[in-house]
Amino acid sequence: MFCRGVESFGPYWDQVLEYRKMSRERPDKVLFLKYEDLKEDITTHIKRVGIIDEISRLCSLQSLKNLKVNKTRKHSCGFKNSTHFRKGEVGDWV
């Protein structure tokens, strides 16, 4: 379903490309980061938005995996939220 663009919020890649475009047009308002960039140097990227320690902690894969909503709830198309989390390693998607 995901590959075909059948998502409750519309095609995923359309949304990603729109955010990417907006980050180039308005870099002062829209920050577009890739997971690989954060894994490489999270501190530098988070400094751009401030509150480094709190953001790092709240956005860590471990923190997100442990949220009750991601352990117990399902996505609108029936998949468990927990299926969105893997190891958190660059290239793990391959």
Side-chain angles (χ1 to χ4, degrees):
M1 289 172 46
F2 177 80
C3 292
R4 290 191 319 262
V6 180
E7 284 286 318
S8 54
F9 302 108
Y12 174 76
W13 293 115
D14 290 351
Q15 293 179 37
V16 172
L17 291 174
E18 186 66 24
Y19 279 109
R20 177 75 169 169
K21 177 182 168 192
M22 290 303 297
S23 73
R24 289 180 175 160
E25 292 174 4
R26 300 183 67 192
D28 58 318
K29 298 289 182 185
V30 179
L31 177 61
F32 186 90
L33 291 174
K34 297 180 296 191
Y35 183 72
E36 291 82 359
D37 296 337
L38 290 174
K39 288 291 282 190
E40 183 178 305
D41 185 9
I42 192 169
T43 305
T44 297
H45 293 294
I46 292 177
K47 280 181 182 177
R48 294 167 65 187
V49 294
I51 316 172
I52 298 167
D53 294 332
E54 184 69 7
I55 293 172
S56 294
R57 185 182 63 74
L58 290 172
C59 295
S60 73
L61 185 68
Q62 196 60 40
S63 176
L64 294 172
K65 284 172 79 169
N66 288 326
L67 291 174
K68 184 177 179 179
V69 68
N70 290 327
K71 286 183 170 185
T72 60
R73 298 248 175 103
K74 290 185 178 184
H75 192 271
S76 59
C77 59
F79 295 106
K80 292 181 180 179
N81 286 354
S82 61
T83 60
H84 291 286
F85 298 97
R86 296 185 304 262
K87 295 179 209 172
E89 299 295 329
V90 173
D92 181 44
W93 63 273
V94 176

